[in-house]
Amino acid sequence: QLQLVESGGGFVQDGDSLRLSCVVSGGIFSTYAMGWFRQSTGKAREITAQISRNGGSTYYADSVKGRFTISRDSTNAVYLQMNNLQPEDTGVYYCAAKQYPNYGSVWSSPDSWGQGTQVTVSS
């Protein structure tokens, strides 16, 4: 069974940066598209960024375009570089994996979830 373990969350000030990491085990990493979802208090979990199996296609929510960058390495990790963080970026960030989605598609029902990492941005 695929396991995803996030790290890198924390408490930062408005305008600061954070880098989230997600290490994947228990499956063949290259068969999974990867993504990050955010859940803020009182809101549904929503897509933040996604990256295709080969890294050649990415998707970003409008709210994070130009500030966040998703990337993956060739072995077992996916990252989310978050720059110029704003208070509205606060929430629990979940790493997610989807096996063999259509290339370039945006998916909302992952096959596996991580446990989440808290990001809090203070104004």
Side-chain angles (χ1 to χ4, degrees), residues 18-115:
L18 278 176
R19 188 189 194 213
L20 304 184
S21 300
C22 173
V23 176
V24 180
S25 61
I28 302 174
F29 185 57
S30 63
T31 67
Y32 291 88
M34 301 298 298
W36 291 93
F37 289 66
R38 178 176 69 210
Q39 187 163 23
S40 303
T41 301
K43 296 185 178 180
R45 199 173 295 186
E46 58 186 9
I47 300 168
T48 300
Q50 295 181 351
I51 189 166
S52 61
R53 291 165 52 213
N54 66 359
S57 176
T58 56
Y59 168 84
Y60 296 95
D62 287 343
S63 61
V64 307
K65 281 181 183 176
R67 300 188 297 121
F68 290 13
T69 303
I70 188 170
S71 62
R72 64 189 292 163
D73 64 22
S74 59
T75 53
N76 67 343
V78 62
Y79 307 97
L80 186 67
Q81 178 67 42
M82 305 186 294
N83 296 331
N84 190 22
L85 282 160
Q86 304 296 311
E88 54 265 34
D89 296 319
T90 294
V92 179
Y93 284 75
Y94 296 89
C95 181
K98 181 75 171 179
Q99 194 170 35
Y100 293 126
N102 291 331
Y103 185 79
S105 67
V106 178
W107 39 273
S108 57
S109 299
D111 297 317
S112 299
W113 292 100
Q115 82 286 355

